[in-house]
Amino acid sequence: EMYFISRGKLSVIVSGTLVHVLTDGNFFGEVALLYDTPRTATIVADIDSHLFSLKNSEFKKIMDRYPLEAAWTREIATSRFRKHVLQDIVKKVPMFRHLQNEEVLAKIVNQLQPRGYHKGDVIVREGEGGEEMYFISRGELVISVNGAEVHTMKDGGFFGEIALVYDTPRTATITAKTQ
């Protein structure tokens, strides 16, 4: 379902961190609705709030009938997701933390491409070349060095910056622990 806030104040929490506050006239749940994916954030009512909901099945019927509006709606939802969720993930990375220029930050975020992995999938292998950095929006990954598991990363984590910045082989193998 997608929700529209008639009256209220709600906190948007990603990986235990408050990333945004929604108030009257705002909405949420569009990413899960449009892309049929699990929720990307937890929403908590800060005060008594009144919401309206739109069921997934009803939304799909409307969007199937109006494809032009469906494309426009997807573009808006993607833009909101990039601005409110992905920018916050990118800002957690030490080498990007200092960025005050929103335009530069937006350019980095706009280059991010979604990737999905299943449990057990190897994302990168130790010793291989690497030209990408990864940001974890949800799920858990296992880091292994020389075949030994050394760490687990979760939502909001990142990896691949060493290969990206220094043009060196991957220093660890990263495997999806969850989908």
Side-chain angles (χ1 to χ4, degrees):
E1 288 181 297
M2 181 175 174
Y3 298 90
F4 301 86
I5 304 168
S6 171
R7 185 174 38 137
K9 180 181 172 190
L10 297 96
S11 292
V12 179
I13 300 167
V14 176
S15 303
T17 302
L18 175 69
V19 296
H20 195 62
V21 175
L22 302 170
T23 58
D24 304 359
N26 288 136
F27 58 91
F28 62 94
E30 72 280 5
V31 172
L33 188 76
L34 286 166
Y35 299 105
D36 198 26
T37 62
R39 301 286 182 193
T40 58
T42 299
I43 310 296
V44 177
D46 298 328
I47 61 173
D48 288 344
S49 301
H50 297 274
L51 311 173
F52 291 96
S53 67
L54 175 61
K55 291 191 178 295
N56 193 342
S57 58
E58 295 304 316
F59 178 77
K60 286 187 184 218
K61 286 179 194 175
I62 295 166
M63 292 296 105
D64 286 347
R65 187 165 179 193
Y66 301 98
L68 183 60
E69 287 79 2
W72 178 77
T73 303
R74 281 190 188 351
E75 181 62 33
I76 290 172
T78 300
S79 176
R80 271 178 49 104
F81 178 72
R82 286 183 183 281
K83 181 173 184 185
H84 295 297
V85 177
L86 295 180
Q87 275 192 10
D88 291 322
I89 291 172
V90 171
K91 284 180 182 177
K92 290 180 182 177
V93 177
M95 67 185 202
F96 297 131
R97 194 172 289 146
H98 70 283
L99 291 177
Q100 299 300 316
N101 185 326
E102 291 294 320
E103 184 178 336
V104 173
L105 186 59
K107 286 182 186 237
I108 292 169
V109 168
N110 285 334
Q111 294 304 309
L112 299 179
Q113 299 298 316
R115 302 271 193 271
Y117 296 94
H118 295 93
K119 181 179 179 177
D121 286 352
V122 174
I123 301 165
V124 300
R125 289 191 192 281
E126 184 176 2
E128 290 183 351
E131 296 182 357
E132 292 178 295
M133 181 175 179
Y134 296 82
F135 301 86
I136 306 168
S137 62
R138 76 171 190 280
E140 290 185 48
L141 306 175
V142 173
I143 302 170
S144 301
V145 177
N146 295 323
E149 188 175 314
V150 295
H151 187 63
T152 300
M153 290 192 301
K154 299 181 179 185
D155 304 357
F158 60 91
F159 62 95
E161 73 282 6
I162 294 170
L164 183 70
V165 173
Y166 298 108
D167 194 28
T168 62
R170 300 285 186 190
T171 60
T173 296
I174 311 294
T175 306
K177 185 175 182 178
T178 62
Q179 185 167 344

